[in-house]
């Protein structure tokens, strides 16, 4: 199981990267294989990854297809081969039917 932390400053204050790093490190036991931080002005996420499948070797979170909407989750996507063509039809042409690309949405 992976771990997720986040900070949102509704007053617009910038994120303390050190604090986010400490929060993420404190849950490293939930995902000892990788740690990622994402910060955009007053919103941030930290993610720890536990690799449980071959596909997870290439996963990185938080993930985005367009740089506007970001996803962070501890989830599984079924029917990947069916989902990829639908996503491509909605403007995500670079997405392949490869399981690792679709998994990045989770």
């Amino acid at each position: 199981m992976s771990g997720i932390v986040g900070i949102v400053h509704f007053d617009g204050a910038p994120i303390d990267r050190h604090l986010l790093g400490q929060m993420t490190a404190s849950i490293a036991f939930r995902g000892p294989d990788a740690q990622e931080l994402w910060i955009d002005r007053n919103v941030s996420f930290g993610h720890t990854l536990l690799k449980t499948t071959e596909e997870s070797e290439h996963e990185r979170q938080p993930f985005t297809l367009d740089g506007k909407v970001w996803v962070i989750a501890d989830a599984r996507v079924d029917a990947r081969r069916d989902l990829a063509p639908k996503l491509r039809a909605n403007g995500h042409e670079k997405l392949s039917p490869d399981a690792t690309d679709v998994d990045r949405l989770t």
Side-chain angles (χ1 to χ4, degrees):
M1 182 171 296
S2 299
I4 301 167
V5 298
I7 302 171
V8 177
H9 290 298
F10 292 104
D11 63 358
I15 298 298
D16 180 339
R17 184 177 189 83
H18 180 71
L19 174 60
L20 181 65
Q22 286 180 316
M23 291 169 60
T24 305
S26 75
I27 60 167
F29 68 94
R30 307 272 307 172
D33 297 318
Q35 291 184 18
E36 297 285 340
L37 303 179
W38 175 85
I39 299 173
D40 187 5
R41 296 180 301 271
N42 63 316
V43 178
S44 64
F45 293 112
H47 182 265
T48 61
L49 178 65
L50 174 61
K51 296 177 182 177
T52 58
T53 64
E54 285 183 30
E55 292 86 8
S56 64
E57 287 296 319
H58 306 287
E59 291 179 2
R60 295 194 58 159
Q61 289 198 44
F63 174 75
T64 185
L65 289 174
D66 59 9
K68 297 176 185 174
V69 176
W70 291 82
V71 176
I72 186 167
D74 184 18
R76 181 177 120 178
V77 175
D78 292 323
R80 292 173 182 92
R81 299 240 177 245
D82 297 331
L83 180 59
K86 291 177 183 178
L87 290 168
R88 283 196 307 273
N90 284 296
H92 301 290
E93 297 86 12
K94 294 180 182 178
L95 187 69
S96 77
D98 199 40
T100 56
D101 281 351
V102 177
D103 278 345
R104 292 180 188 162
L105 293 173
T106 64

